Amino acid sequence: MGPGELPPRELALSPRRLAAALLIAGALAAVAPVPAVAHAIGGVFTLPVPLGLYLVAAGATVAASFIVAVLVVRPAGRVPSYPTRPLNAAAAGRSLVALQVVGLAWWFGTILLGLIVDPISPIPAVLFWIGIWVGLPIVCVLIGNPWPALSPFRSVFSGLERGARLVGFDRLDAGLSYPEWLGRWTAAALLVAGVWAELVLPDRTSPTTIAVLLSGYTIVTLLGMILFGRVAWLRNAELFEVYLGWFGRVGPIGRRVVERRTCEGCSEECDPAHCVDCPECAVAAEPGARRPELRPWFAGLAEVGRSGWSDAAFIVLVLSGVTFDGLQETAPFGLAMNSLFGVLLPVIGPLNTILVVQTLLLVGLWLGFLTAFVLASWLTLRVHDAGQAPPPLGSVVGAYASTLLPIAGGYFIAHYLTLLIQGVAWIPTLIADPLDTVAPPLGWIPISAVWYLSVGAIVVGHVAAVVLAHRRALRDSASRPILAGLPLVLLMVGYTVLSLWIIAQPITLEPGTRPVTMLIR
């Protein structure tokens, strides 16, 4: 032991406790993800100042942004106004075809690989969980939404429609009406299944499991489009269309309708002269009916039209899922697992106990977040302008839920960007050797850079959310926008502190401390 080093801490376990610990460890190993952990970075960063100061400073910055927004932001008109720059239409057309080919090869190639590669191969997991599930949302936030072109379901259904017309059918769908009351609850239910599969499902990185998941989802999606029509199903029920459509509003590339007939009969009641990223027109538009354009980041969220309970549940679940993933690397999560584990273990066994406990904690976190957000929205509604009829609570909850998307985008970058970089770096090696189970190291990325990038992404996302929420309050509660915005601002300040604390747990140390070695004897 050298000067200044800490002695290893010894932990004495009785044979009975040791056997229980090994049983739990084995059960945890059975459900643990194989390819990589979220940050994909080894080592820790010793903070120059205590973590508490970072948390206070981040929360204060978000709170101060509300004061600045009150002083600077003015009520907006009915049509959002911001600078735009059209992108080259010819280049956009060529990229459309290329992305369609990539989307088909990516999705169905992942299914095929899942069926034929060795069970230990991580390539299907890297292609789906890293490339699609966490990679595409980050692409949406940093660039724009590529899914309208990438979507294999759009491409396959378009091919089926062309085939149906060749044999004499006017339309391919059965003509059933998608229930209006159902809203986007179908997409929310599929997101619950997806988040559960990502974070809880055993063997979720197994090639066969991924092939079955993607094949089953493909069948469900195509069947839904055949029964209810392409527009209705993609608009309301297709998980990735809704998921990436929301994230795409954060990014700097939007798509504006240039053929006004695209907006005819749109349930969003969009303005044909200013229709940008309308979710219904996005799926109804024919190729060439929309043009891509550059805009400021977050400006697309000013375009959000009608939204309701299902949209709020969906967006809060996105935020809850990435939060839950981070919480799994913290001590409080371990304590919660242990307390519930002791109760359920004698009844249902170790593996079932872990599945049940993780499911309960995931659902509990989602419902807790949703309850807090609905309460803050209800308080906002209570200070609505007295001269106007108050809107339904569902419309208020849905409208303000969209302001959470910058927070979700910032947290995705903080939590998953290094994992995405690792996945991209891994692909060439996996193509050469599909059985390579060792992810490429990211030692060339300083852990300090990861920490400060995480802090910046989280704070910027929350500041943008505060400004958007105040902008909404100016429109809906013009006489008392400060009081209307306070509940959500307080909620956002609290989540700033929580999310930054979660990010810090696996990658930082307090000043003057060192990791403690644990020995079992």
Side-chain angles (χ1 to χ4, degrees), residues 109-493:
T110 302
I111 294 175
L112 179 61
L113 287 170
L115 295 174
I116 65 175
V117 297
D118 191 278
I120 68 169
S121 175
I123 191 168
V126 172
L127 289 172
F128 177 66
W129 289 122
I130 298 179
I132 295 177
W133 190 257
V134 302
L136 288 183
I138 293 176
V139 171
C140 289
V141 170
L142 295 179
I143 302 175
N145 180 17
W147 191 250
L150 277 176
S151 172
F153 315 116
R154 289 192 184 212
S155 298
V156 169
F157 195 77
S158 294
L160 292 175
E161 284 183 318
R162 286 193 292 269
R165 284 192 291 268
L166 288 175
V167 296
F169 289 93
D170 292 333
R171 54 189 295 176
L172 182 60
D173 63 87
L176 298 179
S177 297
Y178 185 87
E180 185 177 354
W181 59 267
L182 194 54
R184 262 74 70 191
W185 284 113
T186 305
L190 290 169
L191 181 61
V192 170
V195 172
W196 186 86
E198 176 203 5
L199 301 175
V200 180
L201 178 67
D203 294 328
R204 53 190 173 271
T205 59
S206 162
T208 303
T209 300
I210 291 172
V212 170
L213 288 174
L214 269 59
S215 299
Y217 183 75
T218 300
I219 294 171
V220 168
T221 301
L222 293 177
L223 183 61
M225 295 170 74
I226 290 172
L227 291 176
F228 297 102
R230 175 174 60 92
V231 173
W233 190 262
L234 293 180
R235 168 67 183 93
N236 297 291
E238 205 279 277
L239 170 57
F240 296 98
E241 201 79 45
V242 178
Y243 182 52
L244 300 175
W246 277 121
F247 273 115
R249 290 176 178 264
V250 179
I253 296 181
R255 290 174 176 82
R256 181 183 299 271
V257 167
V258 292
E259 292 187 10
R260 296 195 175 191
R261 62 180 181 178
T262 302
C263 301
E264 293 178 0
C266 176
S267 63
E268 294 286 323
E269 300 177 358
C270 59
D271 181 359
H274 186 85
C275 178
V276 182
D277 285 348
C278 168
E280 185 163 325
C281 296
V283 297
E286 297 295 330
R290 300 193 304 155
R291 75 170 186 219
E293 61 183 23
L294 284 174
R295 64 190 179 194
W297 267 280
F298 312 113
L301 292 170
E303 306 282 353
V304 175
R306 298 174 57 189
S307 50
W309 285 107
S310 59
D311 300 289
F314 189 98
I315 293 171
V316 172
L317 178 57
V318 171
L319 198 57
S320 303
V322 67
T323 304
F324 182 84
D325 195 12
L327 278 172
Q328 291 184 99
E329 301 179 66
T330 66
F333 182 87
L335 292 174
M337 284 283 293
N338 288 338
S339 62
L340 293 172
F341 202 97
V343 175
L344 297 175
L345 177 61
V347 181
I348 57 178
L351 181 58
N352 289 333
T353 297
I354 289 179
L355 296 178
V356 170
V357 169
Q358 287 187 315
T359 301
L360 290 175
L361 292 176
L362 175 60
V363 173
L365 182 68
W366 175 35
L367 295 180
F369 274 17
L370 188 59
T371 300
F373 179 73
V374 170
L375 177 60
S377 301
W378 177 79
L379 292 173
T380 295
L381 180 61
R382 297 290 293 176
V383 294
H384 189 272
D385 285 346
Q388 302 179 13
L393 178 60
S395 65
V396 175
V397 170
Y400 279 99
S402 64
T403 67
L404 300 178
L405 288 164
I407 298 175
Y411 203 175
F412 259 73
I413 292 173
H415 196 59
Y416 292 126
L417 182 59
T418 51
L419 178 62
L420 177 59
I421 293 172
Q422 186 178 61
V424 171
W426 203 354
I427 289 294
T429 305
L430 288 173
I431 292 174
D433 180 11
L435 302 184
D436 179 16
T437 59
V438 180
L442 297 182
W444 53 274
I445 301 179
I447 191 68
S448 58
V450 175
W451 166 245
Y452 288 116
L453 173 66
S454 300
V455 172
I458 288 172
V459 171
V460 168
H462 281 80
V463 168
V466 167
V467 173
L468 288 166
H470 181 65
R471 189 178 183 278
R472 173 73 63 172
L474 282 171
R475 192 187 73 177
D476 297 343
S477 305
S479 63
R480 294 180 288 182
I482 298 177
L483 282 177
L486 274 178
L488 285 168
V489 169
L490 293 175
L491 188 65
M492 291 173 182
V493 169

